[in-house]
Amino acid sequence: MFFPFFFGKTNCFTGLETSKNLLDCITWPLPEAYFGIVIMFYKHKEPLNRGSRVSRINSSLMDSQTRTSSYLCFGLLTMVIAATTMAINANAQSVHPGWGATPYNDVSGTGVAFRVWAPHATSVFVPGTFNGWSTTATPLVQEQTNGSVDGIWSADVPGVTNLSQYKFFINNGGGIWKHDPRARWVTAAGSATGANDIVYDPAAFNWNGDNMATPAQNDLFIYEMHMGTFPAGSSPSRFVAATNKLDYLKGLGVNAVELLPIVEFGNSGNSWGYDPAQQFAVDNTQYGGPDGLKTFVQACHARGIAVFLDVVHNHYGPNLLDMWNFDGFAGTNSLGGGGIYFFQSNTNLQITPWGYTRPNFSSQQVANFVQDNITMWLGEYHVDGFRWDAASAIITANDGSYIAAGANLLNTINSMIHTSYAGKISIAEDLYNSYGFDGAWDTSYPYAVTPVLTNTVDASRDMNTISNAIKFNVRYGGLAGLGRVAFLEDHDVVGDLNGGVRLVTAIDPATPNSYRARKLSTLGAAVTLTAPGVPMIFQGEEMLENQSFDSGRPVDWSKTNTYSAIVQLYRDLIGARRDLKGYTPGLEGDYDDLLQVDNANKVVAFKRWKSAQPDQIAVVIANFAGTTLNNYAANFPSAGTWYVHFNSDSTNYGSDFGNVGSTVVTASGSPATANVTIGPYSALILSQAPDAPPQLTVTPANGTVNISWPGGYAGWVLDANMSLGGNTSWTQVPAAQYQTNGTTVFISANPSIGDTFYRLQAP
């Protein structure tokens, strides 16, 4: 597009001494136009008319002096053009979708679309590395809808590249620098020097075809973890460091991890994460930024592990919260302001237990902000679901009154998740069977069950408390089911900020690795993780961690070796709960019932089954006494042979354990009973499926042969033999040859070496 210049004096080109006044000689009649072609003007008595046709210049029309000065002026014009192109191009609202900073590459060229909501601003600019941090060079334009402004400012800025740094400069009676509330990447939260936003292309990451299906809710086993407790060391980031532990988690049987909040938080050091400062920005300095999280998710999915994010939308900040008074408007409330993102009209709406920063869900822009945040995690980061922190504070004000806008928002978002992201799971901390959530934490469960385990007098252990926790939802009442998350430890229960202690420490403060602490804690785990609901453990629980959770204290992974027997117990327990060996499908069932509540002998027994498979029942029998029960008359669902698939008193789990307990029992009569032996502080898991060894499968594959077996037997040993005759011996196949695809373990064998026989053995 031609950009016409008008010259006030013809002697602008007549000499070197006057060329310095070039800018005085130029007016800009079309400031909204683009520089498409630079026009060189020659000496002329009249200004170039707007409609003039410019053709090749005949040098004979200019003398040498005029040519020389013209070339000089042309050079100055070029510099003017280069310096002002960005400002000129920004004088129209963006034609591209997206909020914050969204890179584009289409027929219009390449650049970044900037868009921000600032209804009280008189002007908005985007300073950045692309314009020397100028607060005037790159203006945004106030958008209009049906001829009316709507408080949204935007512009397409060509030439801005991915990873450029920027901020918003907002005028409203004075200029203020602000973070982009929707920035996907920031150098740091807050307003300190150098705390900038980074243009991040959400489509640039190579997912390599990642498309893992989220596990069914009845098969979920969640491992709650905090990214701050994984020191980067030699790894590029904490996210990458955490990926180094995923094979361990997979071997443990875990198929879902739940990350405590991972966005930029309001603490310059470590934090639990429940003080979010930048809702769209993955923590950079501490954790590794957006690509770090994507790398972690991709690595989890490659191992069949789903990723759930803990999200905080009941309050923001309050520290380092640049959204506060975002566009210069503080509001009219009596609690210190807040502006467009926060409730203003009612102090009870503003006040939360964590500060006066409850988002104003009744504002459509704020509601969109929250929903877009959830959509970003699902679409751009491939996460599998959420745990909503204190969701009740989204629908309940400080005085207990109902926040209808918050309730509507939760219903809308959960409906969107289930409609647009089938299979993804949304769990609330504290809203049960409502607002479209798939489940809720039974936060009262550990506070009911733990005192029974820590009681120092066996006779005082109340089996009614245990049976009620198994059968019913302790916090919300009603029958327990797959809609509750059951656990003994979580970040609140064992966190230092709450004065929490680990279960083994609560059982035996002086010697948390004692026989009693190990037996009672694993008994509690056996009951909790097989009870109706989605089971969850907190990082370190499976390795007998005795120190309170501290966001600044790394996980002590050496304890997986020190207490490897306890880790093996959890591995076998998780395998039974998820039916990884095919013997206990009932533990994934949607039905359950109590079989026995014996407060005199301190025994509780229950059964679980799937409604579609009523004959595949699993039975759990737990002895809460410190003495062995010999030939105890236990109730069973039906007569017949019942096989023990898990015994927590096995010496596999402790050299000082008794290895006491039945292996096979026969029930008879109506109602059916059987004499069962159970070790002290122990649990048995039984079903009517015999404990047969797994089958090896031989499959030709691209010139090789795959020898595979079920992933539930990942710890078993594969032996090879060239012959079955004579006195030939079996040779163990090196573990380095083992591979896994998430559901099976296999090796690739070369058929050209001749006949080879294989066998699989228990370790």
Side-chain angles (χ1 to χ4, degrees):
M1 179 183 295
F2 291 133
F3 191 96
F5 299 96
F6 288 80
F7 298 90
K9 298 180 181 179
T10 58
N11 66 357
C12 287
F13 289 99
T14 59
L16 294 175
E17 72 280 6
T18 58
S19 63
K20 64 182 179 181
N21 297 320
L22 173 64
L23 294 179
D24 295 332
C25 304
I26 300 176
T27 60
W28 308 92
L30 295 175
E32 73 280 7
Y34 286 85
F35 282 105
I37 300 175
V38 177
I39 305 171
M40 181 181 293
F41 298 96
Y42 56 90
K43 184 178 179 182
H44 198 277
K45 291 185 178 180
E46 300 295 334
L48 180 65
N49 290 327
R50 185 167 179 169
S52 299
R53 177 182 178 87
V54 178
S55 59
R56 181 174 62 87
I57 299 173
N58 188 332
S59 62
S60 63
L61 298 177
M62 296 189 291
D63 57 29
S64 60
Q65 183 184 36
T66 302
R67 281 199 301 272
T68 301
S69 58
S70 295
Y71 296 151
L72 178 60
C73 292
F74 171 72
L76 291 173
L77 282 171
T78 302
M79 288 189 290
V80 172
I81 291 168
T84 58
T85 297
M86 200 163 295
I88 294 168
N89 276 306
N91 286 335
Q93 70 183 50
S94 172
V95 299
H96 295 96
W99 286 89
T102 308
Y104 63 84
N105 184 358
D106 52 28
V107 294
S108 67
T110 61
V112 171
F114 292 97
R115 181 172 282 107
V116 65
W117 179 51
H120 298 94
T122 56
S123 61
V124 179
F125 296 85
V126 188
T129 53
F130 44 84
N131 62 11
W133 293 100
S134 169
T135 58
T136 58
T138 310
L140 301 187
V141 173
Q142 194 164 19
E143 294 188 357
Q144 295 190 12
T145 302
N146 298 323
S148 300
V149 295
D150 51 15
I152 300 171
W153 300 75
S154 70
D156 294 328
V157 185
V160 179
T161 58
N162 193 40
L163 306 185
S164 297
Q165 293 189 24
Y166 72 99
K167 291 188 85 167
F168 289 125
F169 187 77
I170 300 173
N171 286 308
N172 179 5
I176 50 176
W177 292 79
K178 284 290 184 178
H179 272 295
D180 177 0
R182 292 172 179 256
R184 291 176 173 87
W185 196 359
V186 301
T187 60
S191 57
T193 301
N196 302 322
D197 305 321
I198 303 172
V199 174
Y200 177 77
D201 186 352
F205 185 81
N206 183 3
W207 283 100
N208 289 316
D210 173 75
N211 60 353
M212 190 195 89
T214 304
Q217 198 157 334
N218 70 323
D219 187 44
L220 275 182
F221 197 103
I222 300 174
Y223 191 90
E224 188 185 17
M225 56 194 293
H226 178 57
M227 201 54 59
T229 60
F230 290 79
S234 59
S235 300
S237 70
R238 293 178 191 251
F239 283 125
V240 175
T243 65
N244 297 330
K245 301 301 180 183
L246 294 180
D247 287 335
Y248 162 79
L249 293 181
K250 178 178 174 54
L252 193 63
V254 165
N255 66 348
V257 294
E258 183 194 302
L259 306 183
L260 270 69
I262 46 78
V263 300
E264 291 280 349
F265 45 80
N267 186 317
S268 57
N270 280 310
S271 167
W272 285 17
Y274 295 97
D275 51 346
Q278 291 284 147
Q279 284 290 352
F280 285 72
V282 178
D283 184 86
N284 181 36
T285 303
Q286 294 289 326
Y287 298 164
D291 277 358
L293 175 58
K294 290 179 179 179
T295 298
F296 178 80
V297 172
Q298 187 179 42
C300 285
H301 287 177
R303 293 162 175 81
I305 299 174
V307 178
F308 293 84
L309 296 185
D310 198 331
V311 292
V312 184
H313 288 291
N314 48 45
H315 78 289
Y316 297 152
N319 297 323
L320 302 183
L321 188 60
D322 225 30
M323 295 168 61
W324 192 256
N325 298 344
F326 178 69
D327 61 359
F329 170 72
T332 58
N333 66 81
S334 60
L335 297 178
I340 58 176
Y341 282 98
F342 304 95
F343 277 114
Q344 296 290 321
S345 60
N346 184 322
T347 55
N348 284 311
L349 292 175
Q350 297 169 253
I351 297 173
T352 76
W354 315 279
Y356 305 153
T357 58
R358 182 183 282 112
N360 181 6
F361 307 117
S362 62
S363 162
Q364 188 59 54
Q365 284 293 344
V366 175
N368 292 346
F369 179 87
V370 177
Q371 180 165 333
D372 290 349
N373 181 254
I374 297 300
T375 302
M376 179 191 72
W377 299 126
L378 291 167
E380 296 180 16
Y381 288 85
H382 293 199
V383 304
D384 299 277
F386 306 95
R387 180 262 193 190
W388 290 70
D389 177 65
S392 63
I394 294 176
I395 66 165
T396 308
N398 184 58
D399 61 353
S401 59
Y402 184 62
I403 306 176
N408 292 336
L409 178 60
L410 291 178
N411 278 317
T412 298
I413 291 177
N414 284 323
S415 176
M416 177 274 295
I417 292 174
H418 298 136
T419 301
S420 302
Y421 299 92
K424 305 304 182 184
I425 297 173
S426 183
I427 296 174
E429 178 184 6
D430 56 359
L431 290 177
Y432 182 66
N433 197 27
S434 57
Y435 305 101
F437 285 111
D438 297 298
W441 283 20
D442 189 351
T443 52
S444 297
Y445 182 97
Y447 299 104
V449 173
T450 297
V452 178
L453 298 172
T454 58
N455 200 310
T456 58
V457 180
D458 283 354
S460 299
R461 299 187 202 281
D462 183 9
M463 295 301 97
N464 290 313
T465 298
I466 297 296
S467 62
N468 285 336
I470 293 169
K471 182 69 176 176
F472 302 104
N473 193 312
V474 181
R475 175 164 182 172
Y476 303 101
L479 295 175
L482 294 174
R484 81 156 171 184
V485 177
F487 54 91
L488 286 170
E489 293 189 354
D490 77 335
H491 65 275
D492 279 324
V493 173
V494 304
D496 61 339
L497 299 181
N498 296 336
V501 296
R502 293 282 187 164
L503 178 58
V504 291
T505 302
I507 293 171
D508 190 342
T511 315
N513 63 347
S514 67
Y515 169 88
R516 184 168 169 273
R518 286 179 284 124
K519 290 291 291 183
L520 281 166
S521 65
T522 54
L523 171 61
V527 170
T528 301
L529 303 181
T530 58
V534 174
M536 182 179 77
I537 60 176
F538 186 72
Q539 61 182 36
E541 183 178 348
E542 81 287 0
M543 62 182 85
L544 219 68
E545 178 58 70
N546 64 297
Q547 291 188 305
S548 298
F549 160 59
D550 179 338
S551 60
R553 179 185 295 127
V555 176
D556 184 0
W557 292 100
S558 70
K559 290 181 178 177
T560 60
N561 295 320
T562 305
Y563 303 111
S564 59
I566 298 298
V567 173
Q568 183 62 49
L569 182 149
Y570 273 86
R571 182 179 295 116
D572 293 345
L573 179 57
I574 295 170
R577 168 58 181 81
R578 294 188 56 216
D579 189 33
L580 294 180
K581 296 182 179 180
Y583 307 141
T584 53
L587 290 181
E588 292 197 313
D590 49 343
Y591 279 69
D592 66 274
D593 203 358
L594 293 169
L595 290 170
Q596 211 149 357
V597 182
D598 183 350
N599 208 36
N601 289 296
K602 305 306 173 186
V603 173
V604 171
F606 61 96
K607 62 180 179 178
R608 291 190 63 188
W609 71 98
K610 295 180 180 179
S611 56
Q613 299 171 321
D615 58 334
Q616 297 185 6
I617 300 174
V619 171
V620 179
I621 307 175
N623 174 17
F624 282 80
T627 56
T628 297
L629 291 176
N630 290 298
N631 296 318
Y632 177 80
N635 296 332
F636 279 84
S638 61
T641 303
W642 291 82
Y643 301 88
V644 174
H645 299 293
F646 174 85
N647 178 2
S648 67
D649 196 47
S650 168
T651 50
N652 289 333
Y653 310 138
S655 60
D656 54 351
F657 287 11
N659 208 32
V660 173
S662 301
T663 56
V664 181
V665 299
T666 300
S668 60
S670 181
T673 62
N675 290 332
V676 177
T677 297
I678 316 175
Y681 300 142
S682 298
L684 303 177
I685 300 176
L686 307 91
S687 77
Q688 292 191 288
D691 196 355
Q695 299 296 310
L696 291 174
T697 302
V698 180
T699 308
N702 299 323
T704 63
V705 175
N706 285 346
I707 312 298
S708 63
W709 60 97
Y713 295 85
W716 284 42
V717 176
L718 184 69
D719 294 335
N721 197 335
M722 301 299 291
S723 172
L724 292 180
N727 296 320
T728 56
S729 61
W730 291 87
T731 302
Q732 182 175 326
V733 176
Q737 295 185 24
Y738 293 7
Q739 304 176 62
T740 182
N741 60 11
T743 58
T744 61
V745 181
F746 64 94
I747 68 164
S748 294
N750 185 354
S752 65
I753 64 175
D755 293 342
T756 307
F757 300 89
Y758 294 91
R759 72 181 183 187
L760 193 65
Q761 294 196 105

